[in-house]
Amino acid sequence: MKEKNKSVLIEKLAHKFLDRFQILGLLPFAFFIARLFELKQKGAAQDIFWVCHFSNLTLAIGILFFLPTVIRASLYWLVCGLPLWVWWLIQAGTTDITSAFTHIGGLIIGFIALAKVRVTGNIWLHAFSGFILLQQYCRWFTPEKLNINMSQNLYVEGVYVGGEKFFNVYWQYWLGTLLIIAFNLWLIERILMKVFPENQNQVEEMN
């Protein structure tokens, strides 16, 4: 009888855990770790700080710890970065499977999570501020030649960026791209607010 009760209790606890929203956060975390492992194998572990890879870590943290603002900002990063990844994919002609996981897989998980937490206003400011902080970290603490998040200059090795056609010096490029990123994040939020309007009951449940 005791064994039966123990088995029922374990089953209930497991069912409760698997039903939790947080379990979803393990997927972007796995994408992040897989990408980091592959980059480390190639001797390019610092590339994990590219915003689309890094956003999988922040998305995982947001889901695992019920942080709606972090979830939303992470998804904004992924949406904003997707066209650039596609452009670079066309330029390079190939990509790693783990890069597809962080860009496509992370995006899918992000949208699933966003359907739960919905969209509120001014999250784009958090995403924009977070990007600046990440970019400045890359500028000061990652190798200049890697130019992660375009934190050093106008060029990325092996990829035509096109910024040199419009800007003569890096600070002009940096300021110009920040303005474009800010507008894109704002626009992304405007669109997502139409698709995932705020549901007060769901927001309170997460908070």
Side-chain angles (χ1 to χ4, degrees):
M1 187 68 176
K2 288 183 178 180
E3 288 297 322
K4 183 178 180 180
N5 290 337
K6 184 178 179 181
S7 177
V8 170
L9 178 61
I10 292 174
E11 184 177 346
K12 286 182 177 180
L13 289 173
H15 180 71
K16 182 178 180 181
F17 176 74
L18 292 174
D19 275 351
R20 287 182 175 179
F21 176 71
Q22 302 108 296
I23 196 71
L24 191 65
L26 295 178
L27 286 174
F29 182 71
F31 298 156
F32 176 83
I33 294 299
R35 184 59 178 159
L36 177 60
F37 178 79
E38 185 167 25
L39 289 171
K40 190 172 182 180
Q41 292 291 99
K42 295 180 176 182
Q46 297 278 11
D47 277 338
I48 198 66
F49 288 106
W50 279 99
V51 66
C52 288
H53 302 322
F54 191 76
S55 61
N56 279 256
L57 177 61
T58 58
L59 179 61
I61 292 172
I63 296 174
L64 288 169
F65 295 97
F66 294 121
L67 303 171
T69 296
V70 177
I71 292 172
R72 296 166 186 138
S74 299
L75 180 61
Y76 291 10
W77 280 356
L78 284 163
V79 174
C80 190
L82 183 64
L84 293 177
W85 178 68
V86 172
W87 171 248
W88 289 6
L89 180 60
I90 293 171
Q91 294 287 308
T94 185
T95 189
D96 299 321
I97 185 65
T98 56
S99 181
F101 283 158
T102 56
H103 287 87
I104 306 300
L107 193 66
I108 293 171
I109 300 302
F111 275 118
I112 294 173
L114 193 67
K116 175 74 172 178
V117 302
R118 318 304 288 180
V119 178
T120 58
N122 295 325
I123 300 300
W124 73 271
L125 289 172
H126 296 273
F128 183 59
S129 300
F131 175 77
I132 293 176
L133 288 175
L134 179 60
Q135 188 186 54
Q136 291 309 303
Y137 172 86
C138 294
R139 180 171 180 80
W140 292 102
F141 299 106
T142 62
E144 182 178 355
K145 66 178 182 178
L146 296 179
N147 198 22
I148 298 173
N149 294 315
M150 307 305 292
S151 59
Q152 309 288 346
N153 53 63
L154 284 68
Y155 307 95
V156 175
E157 185 176 354
V159 177
Y160 173 70
V161 178
E164 62 274 17
K165 291 176 61 177
F166 305 99
F167 304 97
N168 296 320
V169 292
Y170 175 72
W171 74 265
Q172 295 174 349
Y173 171 80
W174 177 77
L175 184 59
T177 53
L178 282 186
L179 292 174
I180 293 172
I181 289 170
F183 174 76
N184 285 340
L185 290 172
W186 174 84
L187 182 61
I188 288 167
E189 181 168 270
R190 295 297 100 186
I191 295 172
L192 291 179
M193 286 182 75
K194 300 293 185 181
V195 182
F196 301 99
E198 182 178 4
N199 182 316
Q200 192 60 39
N201 291 333
Q202 288 179 307
V203 173
E204 289 176 357
E205 181 184 341
M206 285 296 296
N207 289 321

